[in-house]
């Protein structure tokens, strides 16, 4: 209890994001709210996107490695590993500690989003889309940032979000691994050398004269204008 002498929780935590006593730490309630809001926004947008894709989208080919490529299954299994590790991390939240309701809601919501939205979207996207999903490309940097905040908060401040005297070292290792894995998944999703649409989709788009859609910039390239790099280099030549 001494770790949480005076905290501003509830919606007011958004007005008091830093820890008490002007410490170099976030308010743990604010951190849990970040997880919760992130999960809610992702759930709403992800549910609409998944429903629209399955209801109105056109699937090309099958989900076999022959059509999707092995890199697709490496990425999907990395997401599955992330789900398992995050669920394991969530299990360290005790229902008997202070602020337990906030933590269980926040981490539970992210777990649900990972398992029932992000994982299925990763599995189906290459058979429905010519370029990576905007939602997935934005989700992983956001989750990585939250993991970084948790790592800092739990290990380098007096205001941990997840704390267990007995399992402190395990929590730290898991948090480091989650950060590395989320960065890896983002890179596999973003990289044009790794991410490929279903081979049947590529073939059909080429036959239909829509091959240019396979080269359209994704949302990250659009935001950063990195899609112009090749154009600029060509103009210099």
């Amino acid at each position: 209890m001494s770790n949480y002498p005076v905290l501003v929780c509830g919606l007011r935590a958004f007005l008091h994001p830093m820890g008490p006593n002007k410490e170099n730490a976030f308010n743990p309630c604010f951190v849990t709210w970040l997880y919760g809001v992130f999960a809610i926004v992702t759930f709403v947008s992800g549910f609409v996107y998944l429903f629209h894709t399955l209801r109105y989208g056109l699937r090309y080919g099958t989900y076999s490695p022959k059509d999707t490529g092995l890199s697709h299954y490496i990425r999907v299994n990395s997401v599955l590993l992330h789900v398992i590790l995050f669920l394991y991390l969530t299990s360290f939240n005790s229902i008997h500690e202070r602020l337990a309701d906030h933590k269980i809601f926040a981490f539970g919501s992210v777990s649900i989003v990972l398992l029932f939205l992000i994982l299925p979207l990763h599995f189906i996207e290459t058979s429905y889309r010519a370029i990576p999903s905007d939602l997935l490309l934005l989700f992983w940097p956001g989750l990585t940032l939250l993991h970084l905040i948790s790592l800092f908060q739990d290990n380098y401040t007096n205001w941990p979000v997840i704390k267990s005297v007995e399992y402190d070292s395990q929590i730290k290792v898991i948090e480091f691994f989650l950060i590395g894995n989320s960065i890896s998944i983002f890179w596999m999703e973003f990289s044009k050398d790794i991410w490929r649409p279903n081979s049947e989709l590529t073939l059909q788009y080429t036959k239909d004269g829509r091959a240019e859609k396979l080269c359209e910039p994704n949302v990250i390239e659009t935001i950063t204008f990195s899609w112009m790099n090749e154009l600029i280099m060509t103009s210099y030549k």
Side-chain angles (χ1 to χ4, degrees), residues 1-236:
M1 300 291 285
S2 59
N3 283 343
Y4 300 92
V6 180
L7 288 175
V8 179
C9 291
L11 292 175
R12 292 178 59 220
F14 285 105
L15 301 176
H16 301 274
M18 305 307 294
N21 306 323
K22 298 182 179 180
E23 288 191 39
N24 187 25
F26 290 106
N27 178 351
C29 292
F30 174 70
V31 175
T32 57
W33 267 111
L34 286 181
Y35 272 99
V37 171
F38 181 73
I40 292 171
V41 171
T42 304
F43 179 83
V44 173
S45 56
F47 179 81
V48 172
Y49 176 75
L50 182 61
F51 174 80
H52 187 272
T53 299
L54 295 177
R55 180 70 175 82
Y56 303 106
L58 181 61
R59 193 188 83 183
Y60 294 88
T62 67
Y63 295 119
S64 69
K66 179 182 177 181
D67 287 346
T68 63
L70 288 177
S71 61
H72 171 73
Y73 278 92
I74 293 174
R75 185 168 58 252
V76 169
N77 279 292
S78 295
V79 177
L80 179 59
L81 176 62
H82 207 89
V83 174
I84 294 170
L85 287 175
F86 193 80
L87 285 170
Y88 184 52
L89 182 67
T90 302
S91 70
F92 288 106
N93 284 313
S94 171
I95 61 173
H96 302 293
E97 66 177 285
R98 189 181 178 188
L99 310 177
D101 292 345
H102 295 77
K103 296 178 184 179
I104 292 172
F105 167 76
F107 283 81
S109 298
V110 174
S111 299
I112 290 172
V113 167
L114 279 167
L115 182 59
F116 295 107
L117 280 176
I118 300 302
L119 182 59
L121 282 173
H122 270 288
F123 186 77
I124 70 171
E125 69 162 342
T126 58
S127 296
Y128 285 88
R129 293 184 56 87
I131 61 173
S133 162
D134 294 352
L135 176 67
L136 296 178
L137 281 172
L138 294 174
F139 175 82
W140 289 107
L143 188 61
T144 301
L145 179 60
L146 291 176
H147 287 332
L148 284 167
I149 292 173
S150 293
L151 176 70
F152 169 75
Q153 197 78 11
D154 293 342
N155 298 283
Y156 305 105
T157 76
N158 294 320
W159 302 92
V161 177
I162 298 179
K163 189 70 175 178
S164 172
V165 176
E166 185 178 358
Y167 299 105
D168 250 5
S169 58
Q170 287 188 35
I171 292 173
K172 188 173 184 178
V173 170
I174 293 170
E175 288 177 334
F176 267 114
F177 200 94
L178 284 170
I179 292 169
N181 195 50
S182 59
I183 293 173
S184 173
I185 294 170
F186 169 74
W187 181 249
M188 287 189 285
E189 187 74 12
F190 174 77
S191 174
K192 291 185 176 180
D193 294 328
I194 300 175
W195 196 97
R196 289 282 190 277
N198 191 298
S199 59
E200 289 295 322
L201 184 150
T202 302
L203 180 62
Q204 193 61 48
Y205 270 49
T206 304
K207 285 183 177 179
D208 295 344
R210 295 183 291 165
E212 71 281 354
K213 290 190 175 294
L214 299 170
C215 302
E216 288 182 350
N218 59 50
V219 65
I220 300 296
E221 292 173 323
T222 301
I223 293 173
T224 61
F225 296 99
S226 59
W227 63 274
M228 297 181 65
N229 291 347
E230 186 175 347
L231 181 63
I232 294 172
M233 294 299 295
T234 303
S235 65
Y236 275 114

